[in-house]
Amino acid sequence: MKKNPARVASIRLGLCCSFSEHPIKFRNTTVKANSNMERKAALAKLAKLCAENAEALQAALQFCLDNRIGCFRINSQILPLKTHVDCGYTMADLPEGDEIVQRFRACGDFAKKHHIRMSFHPDQFVVLNSPREEVVDRSVAELEYQAEVAEWVGADVVNIHGGGAYGDKEGALEAFAKNLSRLSDRARSRLTLENDDTTYAPSDLLPLCRTEGIPLVYDVHHHRCKTDELSVEKATQEAMGTWDREPLFHISSPIEGWDGAAPKRHHDFIDIADFPDCWRDKDLTIEVEAKAKELAVLRLRKDLGG
DNA sequence: AGCGGTCAAGTTGAT
DNA sequence: ATCAACTTGACCGCT
């Protein structure tokens, strides 16, 4: 079998959202600035930002290809303010919106050709189990937006956390399961769940993942912050069992070491000692959550022997 | 043209 | 009761 050049052994490393030194930048704007403009001018500006972000994504994928990085996480503001209640828009609202979509589809073609995986990670405001209806509404809208772009570019993962506990974890997870029915197939089929560092450990999520057929994105750093009865090895095995495709996990290292003041916070680089030995011989995508971004990915690959 | 304060959204836990 | 943490750095409005 021909070996995929974007891999070291069986591990595919992933870069998250942005660059430390390499001069690729994604654009964004603010509600305040957008609200101060006439709607037409606001949409023209947003279209420009979206188009530039499509170009930046193409450049990011080229960087990944050139540097044998097998996965890229797309930031949530790739289409700035897309779901905002006042500033939001559809692609049809944007001047030359169709061409912007075509640029993203071209990114997808490139990624497919070169076997580069892509993912999304909607941020903390997406809470599918909130008792507040309007929060769930906005969360669904955000998931649908990111899933739409995911479809254009061929990304197979839109990853979120369990959400709040609200003093009743089991009830909160039931609410999560119930609200899954509000998602389109496009969003539902890409949805994954990740253990977090305060509320939901892997063992909290695994039953839901199995029942609902949601892959578990196992974050070993979060697991070390929010432990359960599972070992890293066991959690790895159980998480792998929830995937019907190549599993995707997260790695990071604590900013000042595990005995430091803030072990939850991320270091610039990955300490190879934090990389589980049991991951080394498996077919996995590992997203590298480290502040030094592409430098951290490249150093980790070197440290792994690539 | 350069500077500094500001930035959509939710929840938790530290102070 | 407030605030940092969640990728922080880019952006904008003011001078």
Side-chain angles (χ1 to χ4, degrees), chain A residues 242-291:
Chain A
T242 64
W243 285 84
D244 61 358
R245 51 198 185 272
E246 181 171 299
L248 186 151
F249 294 168
H250 291 175
I251 186 78
S252 41
S253 284
I255 189 166
E256 293 167 316
W258 288 103
D259 298 325
K264 290 179 179 179
R265 298 188 60 193
H266 293 168
H267 192 89
D268 287 353
F269 291 93
I270 305 301
D271 182 343
I272 191 66
D274 291 322
F275 193 95
D277 281 338
C278 65
W279 287 7
R280 285 176 175 260
D281 60 344
K282 297 189 172 68
D283 285 329
L284 292 174
T285 298
I286 309 297
E287 290 187 337
V288 177
E289 297 188 323
K291 291 191 287 184

Side-chain angles (χ1 to χ4, degrees), chain A residues 14-266:
Chain A
L15 170 62
C16 296
C17 306
S18 60
F19 293 80
S20 168
E21 290 193 346
H22 196 72
I24 294 175
K25 300 281 184 224
F26 289 89
R27 305 290 310 277
N28 202 356
T29 186
T30 61
V31 168
K32 196 173 190 178
N34 204 260
S35 304
N36 287 340
M37 302 172 83
E38 296 284 340
R39 181 65 172 164
K40 194 175 174 187
L43 289 170
K45 178 179 175 177
L46 288 163
K48 185 161 186 290
L49 298 181
C50 291
E52 289 186 23
N53 284 347
E55 293 307 311
L57 179 59
Q58 176 60 53
L61 293 170
Q62 183 66 55
F63 179 92
C64 289
L65 176 63
D66 294 343
N67 290 275
R68 298 185 298 141
I69 293 171
C71 179
F72 185 73
R73 182 192 298 174
I74 298 173
N75 85 61
S76 296
Q77 294 79 40
I78 188 83
L79 306 183
L81 308 180
K82 179 71 167 67
T83 63
H84 187 268
V85 61
D86 297 318
C87 306
Y89 51 92
T90 66
M91 297 315 285
D93 294 333
L94 298 181
E96 310 200 61
D98 288 347
E99 292 180 19
I100 294 167
V101 175
Q102 286 312 312
R103 291 197 206 198
F104 280 105
R105 289 192 187 282
C107 289
D109 293 342
F110 181 89
K112 187 176 181 184
K113 180 178 175 187
H114 297 291
H115 307 102
I116 299 169
R117 193 179 196 182
M118 280 180 275
S119 75
F120 286 79
H121 194 355
D123 46 22
Q124 60 268 33
F125 312 107
V126 172
V127 182
L128 210 44
N129 68 352
S130 177
R132 295 166 53 196
E133 191 66 16
E134 70 278 14
V135 172
V136 179
D137 289 344
R138 284 196 294 264
S139 298
V140 169
E142 184 71 15
L143 287 168
E144 293 295 338
Y145 140 57
Q146 299 201 24
E148 181 181 15
V149 185
E151 186 175 78
W152 299 341
V153 302
D156 71 301
V157 166
V158 178
N159 178 45
I160 62 173
H161 293 288
Y166 313 102
D168 173 16
K169 252 194 241 187
E170 279 195 22
L173 288 174
E174 283 172 26
F176 187 103
K178 181 164 161 284
N179 287 332
L180 287 172
S181 63
R182 298 183 50 179
L183 298 175
S184 69
D185 287 348
R186 182 160 73 184
R188 179 66 178 80
S189 65
R190 290 176 169 82
L191 190 75
T192 65
L193 260 169
E194 177 189 351
N195 60 302
D196 62 73
D197 57 12
T198 54
T199 306
Y200 292 107
S203 61
D204 294 316
L205 299 176
L206 278 162
L208 177 64
C209 288
R210 293 191 188 106
T211 304
E212 298 294 339
I214 303 172
L216 179 67
V217 171
Y218 175 48
D219 185 314
V220 69
H221 185 253
H222 289 162
H223 192 202
R224 287 164 174 154
C225 295
K226 172 69 181 177
T227 57
D228 54 17
E229 74 280 8
L230 300 175
S231 64
V232 168
E233 291 74 20
K234 185 70 175 167
T236 295
Q237 181 187 353
E238 297 296 325
M240 287 185 71
T242 64
W243 285 84
D244 61 358
R245 51 198 185 272
E246 181 171 299
L248 186 151
F249 294 168
H250 291 175
I251 186 78
S252 41
S253 284
I255 189 166
E256 293 167 316
W258 288 103
D259 298 325
K264 290 179 179 179
R265 298 188 60 193
H266 293 168

